Amino acid sequence: MTGLGVTTAVGRGKADFARALYDGSHRFAVMERPGRQHDTRFVGAEIPGQVTPGRLTARELRTSSFTARVALTTLEEAWEEARLDEVDGERVGLVVGGSNLGQRELVLAHERHRDRPAFLRPGYGLSFLDSDLCGQCTAAFGIRGLAHTVGGASASGQLAIIEAAEAVAAGRVDVCVALGALMDLSYWECLGLRTMGAMVPDRCADAPELACRPFDQGHQGFVFGEACAALVIERRGERRGLEDYGTLSGWSVRLDGNRGPDPSEDGESGAIRGALDRAGLEADQIDYVNPHGTASPVGDRTEAAALRACGLTGAAVNATKSVTGHGLSAAGAVEAVATLLQMRRGRLHPTRNLRDPVDGGLRWVGDGGLETEVRHAMSLSAGFGGINTALCVSASGSGSVR
Amino acid sequence: MRKEEVFQLVVDAVREVLPELQDHAFEESDTLADLGANSMDRAEIITTVLEGMDLDIPLVETFGPRDLGELAQHLSEASTTGGRVA
């Protein structure tokens, strides 16, 4: 992986994001973006200020959704770092992780035109499609190899990485960018997610800084966090003189055959073992796990049990969502970026609000973080509808098989 | 609605959809194509003007005019004769 981009509420760009991770800072508050509340006090982390991508004209900017602005800005960071302008656009691909990405702006458009539907702007006919993001990104960056979206609920970001890796491994393109897109929730999605018990209750608005607590006994559900990340994946040995963040040594996708939101220890364990197998690694070779860790009580316990069942008791574990919140479609990509940045730095970030871990048998990284060399790491995602994904990431020169 | 008023709505809409034309001195002989509007921009501009006029007519009925002056004239006439004024 030769280029990374990241935009979150706590940090925009890799340096800013890494600083926030190590500081354990947060931006959790009652959300204020138009269309996010409806006699509610939903807590979340919102990206502050304007996000203005460099490659768009004023005309293009006017019709760009918030999701697109953040995507184009994030993609640009990864693109420039990997110097992809040097690569033939026919050999570059893009996989966008996420579906139903622009709900908030759709709701605002519906409200604006409810009594005057005849005057709905024609641009709606393009922008309601998630694949509009593919159109915008391929136009702005000259990507011509492939571009499509993949949906896997909260595993979408990691699924995009896996699909991008498969596209490169199969030779469909030489370079493929995986983008975990920002899922722009409206108050309707927040209501649904809260009503089903996945998102924290409104009473968390009284102390937003304490609301997001993955793997802590006091966890009450996930807290939304606006986020987006991009990773440039290319074949090993064809890095064009660029410094590599690490090698994607293994990956796996497992389905539970379950429509619902419930996690499955078997499914998560299956994904972990599948990724280890593909990487040719044993569990005790994994130095660090970046888990899904949403702060859902059943989700955290199930994941902790899966880590234990797979023999990952020796690996250090922290929870990036304790800092960023849950980026939903973006989460898997954001956490892969967090994993790679920590591997390069040799330091793991603290887990905010982890006072009383749900499982005493795992190596949690609490306050202060942890200085440690990471040769092999895993990052895990899971999504509604019974999808489990796992990645193995290995440091360059670590003797990994792929 | 008088043609002069419609022309001003057209100019406002073009400036909204094509922000780079903020300082352009608009003439009735300007065409949307020459101003750099693609087909989506054109549809956005016309819809914006129609909403400003409260005039609900199919977009296809706005395709004849060759320049901004003719467009203003056409929509002005539609607002008093052909179009259903909401």
Side-chain angles (χ1 to χ4, degrees):
Chain A
M1 285 163 281
T2 52
L4 305 178
V6 64
T7 307
T8 67
V10 288
R12 286 160 66 164
K14 290 181 287 287
D16 204 21
F17 175 59
R19 200 175 307 121
L21 287 178
Y22 291 120
D23 289 350
S25 51
H26 80 93
R27 289 195 66 90
F28 297 118
V30 174
M31 294 192 282
E32 295 181 348
R33 208 174 289 290
R36 283 271 164 78
Q37 306 285 357
H38 193 76
D39 298 327
T40 47
R41 294 197 301 155
F42 294 121
V43 174
E46 296 180 319
I47 296 167
Q50 296 293 319
V51 180
T52 309
R55 293 199 179 205
L56 293 193
T57 62
R59 184 197 306 198
E60 291 164 331
L61 206 53
R62 193 189 73 88
T63 54
S64 292
S65 67
F66 179 58
T67 295
R69 290 175 187 224
V70 173
L72 287 157
T73 303
T74 308
L75 177 53
E76 186 167 29
E77 185 188 8
W79 190 275
E80 300 291 340
E81 185 175 32
R83 301 201 309 259
L84 292 186
D85 279 335
E86 296 173 0
V87 180
D88 176 7
E90 301 279 351
R91 300 301 302 161
V92 179
L94 171 71
V95 180
V96 172
S99 43
N100 314 105
L101 297 169
Q103 301 295 108
R104 185 183 62 85
E105 290 183 1
L106 296 181
V107 165
L108 292 175
H110 299 162
E111 291 180 350
R112 198 158 45 237
H113 291 285
R114 175 165 295 131
D115 301 323
R116 304 162 71 75
F119 303 117
L120 179 70
R121 293 299 181 267
Y124 186 97
L126 281 177
S127 63
F128 86 93
L129 297 161
D130 289 323
S131 54
D132 187 33
L133 204 49
C134 298
Q136 280 202 279
C137 290
T138 55
F141 291 88
I143 297 168
R144 290 167 183 278
L146 66 90
H148 59 83
T149 64
V150 292
S154 294
S156 296
Q158 195 166 106
L159 195 57
I161 294 171
I162 290 170
E163 290 298 317
E166 296 275 9
V168 171
R172 293 174 64 198
V173 285
D174 296 330
V175 183
C176 198
V177 185
L179 184 115
L182 185 147
M183 187 181 279
D184 196 358
L185 299 183
S186 80
Y187 62 84
W188 289 106
E189 288 70 52
C190 293
L191 283 165
L193 290 162
R194 187 189 64 183
T195 305
M196 73 189 287
M199 188 184 252
V200 291
D202 264 15
R203 64 172 178 272
C204 288
D206 295 336
E209 71 282 4
L210 300 176
C212 188
R213 36 196 330 119
F215 298 111
D216 183 75
Q217 298 279 3
H219 53 186
Q220 300 181 66
F222 82 82
V223 179
F224 174 59
E226 291 178 343
C228 178
L231 300 93
V232 177
I233 297 166
E234 50 193 304
R235 201 177 285 275
R236 270 180 85 194
E238 293 176 21
R239 300 195 302 266
R240 299 171 290 117
L242 294 162
E243 199 180 342
D244 184 0
Y245 278 97
T247 300
L248 216 43
S249 45
W251 57 84
S252 178
V253 180
R254 289 295 153 91
L255 282 305
D256 299 331
N258 168 27
R259 182 219 175 165
D262 331 292
S264 147
E265 185 187 326
D266 281 351
E268 294 182 16
S269 299
I272 291 168
R273 293 196 180 102
L276 285 169
D277 278 355
R278 180 161 186 155
L281 292 169
E282 299 296 331
D284 62 8
Q285 290 177 273
I286 301 297
D287 303 303
Y288 166 57
V289 176
N290 187 307
H292 189 49
T294 65
S296 142
V298 63
D300 286 356
R301 286 201 170 80
T302 304
E303 188 169 24
L307 294 180
R308 209 188 249 279
C310 291
L312 290 165
T313 47
V317 184
N318 59 11
T320 298
K321 289 184 182 77
S322 70
V323 178
T324 58
H326 191 348
L328 302 170
S329 48
V334 170
E335 286 146 26
V337 169
T339 301
L340 292 166
L341 293 176
Q342 292 176 97
M343 286 174 78
R344 180 173 275 190
R345 175 88 166 263
R347 181 167 185 81
L348 304 180
H349 72 76
T351 306
R352 291 184 62 259
N353 292 328
L354 183 58
R355 299 280 167 269
D356 188 6
V358 292
D359 187 321
L362 294 170
R363 276 186 65 211
W364 304 106
V365 182
D367 290 346
L370 179 68
E371 205 81 37
T372 186
E373 186 196 354
V374 178
R375 286 151 301 172
H376 303 285
M378 294 198 78
S379 182
L380 311 177
S381 289
F384 293 168
I387 182 165
N388 310 281
T389 60
L391 295 181
C392 287
V393 184
S394 299
S396 307
S398 59
S400 65
V401 291
R402 183 188 169 272
Chain B
M1 189 176 275
R2 292 188 303 112
K3 179 191 169 188
E4 293 70 27
E5 294 173 83
V6 178
F7 185 75
Q8 190 55 49
L9 286 177
V10 171
V11 169
D12 292 347
V14 173
R15 285 195 170 126
E16 182 187 328
V17 174
L18 309 176
E20 64 273 25
L21 297 179
Q22 285 315 310
D23 300 324
H24 179 74
F26 285 89
E27 310 263 356
E28 291 201 2
S29 58
D30 285 338
T31 70
L32 287 173
D34 289 346
L35 292 170
N38 62 27
S39 61
M40 279 301 295
D41 298 330
R42 183 182 190 283
E44 290 274 326
I45 290 164
I46 303 285
T47 309
T48 303
V49 174
L50 293 177
E51 182 166 27
M53 296 174 68
D54 222 350
L55 178 63
D56 182 5
I57 58 171
L59 219 55
V60 66
E61 289 181 17
T62 68
F63 285 175
R66 285 165 300 182
D67 60 32
L68 299 194
E70 286 187 21
L71 177 64
Q73 179 68 36
H74 179 78
L75 295 178
S76 171
E77 286 169 11
S79 73
T80 51
T81 59
R84 175 178 66 80
V85 180

